[in-house]
Amino acid sequence: MHLLFLSRPASGHLYPTLRLAEELGERGHHVTFASGDPYLDELAGPGVRLVRFGKHERRLLDMPALAPDAVVADPRTTGAATDLAGTWDVPLVVAGQNLAESPHGWPSEQAPEPYVFTIPGARGKVHNPWRRHGRRPVLLVDGPSIGPLVRAFGDTDWQVVVSDTELPHADVLLTDGRLAAVSAGLRAGVPMVLAPKTAEEIAHADRIAALGVGKVVASLADAHAEDLRRLVEHLRVDEPTLATARRLRELVAEAGAPARAADRIEELLVAPPLARAA
């Protein structure tokens, strides 16, 4: 098959689906990896050609040689990919780094198109990567609604990093329960404190707590500084929680491995065939 991957780089110029594209190229498929990143200069593996489309994905329609048998989008390019797949009358699959449904009961992506979970690769030009300073513990804070909680750690030994990207240095993740954040936390094997607000965030937080790798703060009003610090410190050193997080990290890595994701792509596109994009 000729597969067109449509990608927008994530924060730090990370290409979540490039490793998956390379796996499919190694299997003999012809893969075109198209990105809007003007700095795209990766050396992709055999069978993968890199193409820049600039600011507008529809420029790809002016390249007749690109007409694919199927389009694989990441979540950031799903809208444009649906348009392109419809124009070419080919199937569309979404592949991303948020978790897919599994028998393990973790929060999962609810995508309108067939969805494949893939572990992102550390590829691309990462600008000003953060580094741990000394041996102080690191609290990663992710989510616009939990800014007030950060003040609880102002006079402590904790290094607080406010970010929307996964950091391998984190000892604990403080998040509102968005799927992208909890997916990153499970991928990294990091215990979580969750302060959800929306119904979706509450559902994700409850799942994480049930898995045994996080604790839910009922509301911001209930999150007193002393209690929050005590909870975060407990999760940092609690061996049952850490052991469960490590076990789930292994399961997540297996579920999103390039070979597993490529198997799923082939399964979706070959047997049975997907319905054409609308």
Side-chain angles (χ1 to χ4, degrees):
M1 290 183 293
H2 177 197
L3 302 174
L4 173 65
F5 274 67
L6 198 60
S7 174
R8 283 282 183 185
S11 298
H13 289 235
L14 177 71
Y15 300 94
T17 57
L18 183 52
R19 288 203 304 175
L20 173 56
E22 290 173 326
E23 173 69 25
L24 289 162
E26 291 175 0
R27 297 184 180 198
H29 300 290
H30 171 50
V31 181
T32 299
F33 189 88
S35 176
D37 183 4
Y39 304 105
L40 177 63
D41 60 358
E42 294 293 313
L43 295 176
V48 179
R49 178 169 64 134
L50 301 178
V51 173
R52 299 183 186 88
F53 56 73
K55 296 182 179 180
H56 302 291
E57 292 88 347
R58 289 192 64 85
R59 287 187 56 197
L60 296 171
L61 295 173
D62 299 327
M63 306 177 189
L66 285 185
D69 298 307
V71 177
V72 182
D74 65 41
R76 289 187 171 203
T77 62
T78 302
T82 300
D83 184 22
L84 293 175
T87 301
W88 281 313
D89 190 28
V90 298
L92 169 66
V93 176
V94 177
Q97 53 193 322
N98 289 342
L99 296 164
E101 289 187 42
S102 80
H104 306 295
W106 55 51
S108 59
E109 183 71 65
Q110 303 297 319
E113 303 291 342
Y115 180 79
V116 175
F117 166 56
T118 182
I119 295 287
R123 301 289 295 276
K125 298 294 184 182
V126 178
H127 298 285
N128 300 319
W130 186 85
R131 295 284 187 268
R132 178 193 288 265
H133 301 288
R135 307 179 77 175
R136 295 163 56 201
V138 176
L139 176 67
L140 175 62
V141 177
D142 185 295
S145 66
I146 57 176
L149 300 184
V150 176
R151 300 191 191 97
F153 299 88
D155 296 321
T156 71
D157 288 335
W158 282 85
Q159 298 179 68
V160 179
V161 181
V162 180
S163 173
D164 63 354
T165 61
E166 176 188 341
L167 284 175
H169 311 283
D171 294 288
V172 178
L173 171 63
L174 175 60
T175 178
D176 53 14
R178 293 179 303 119
L179 182 58
V182 298
S183 294
L186 287 173
R187 288 199 310 268
V190 176
M192 296 174 239
V193 174
L194 305 112
K197 292 184 67 176
T198 70
E200 182 179 43
E201 291 167 357
I202 291 170
H204 294 161
D206 288 343
R207 286 280 188 92
I208 293 299
L211 288 169
V213 290
K215 298 292 184 180
V216 180
V217 177
S219 70
L220 295 179
D222 295 334
H224 298 297
E226 183 67 27
D227 294 336
L228 184 60
R229 288 193 294 266
R230 187 180 299 113
L231 177 57
V232 168
E233 184 60 39
H234 169 74
L235 289 178
R236 183 176 75 90
V237 299
D238 184 58
E239 186 52 39
T241 301
L242 295 173
T244 301
R246 290 192 294 267
R247 178 178 62 82
L248 287 172
R249 180 180 61 195
E250 294 176 0
L251 293 174
V252 168
E254 179 182 356
R260 176 74 68 87
D263 287 345
R264 183 59 177 153
I265 292 282
E266 291 179 327
E267 184 181 301
L268 286 167
L269 293 175
V270 177
L274 283 173
R276 302 297 182 181

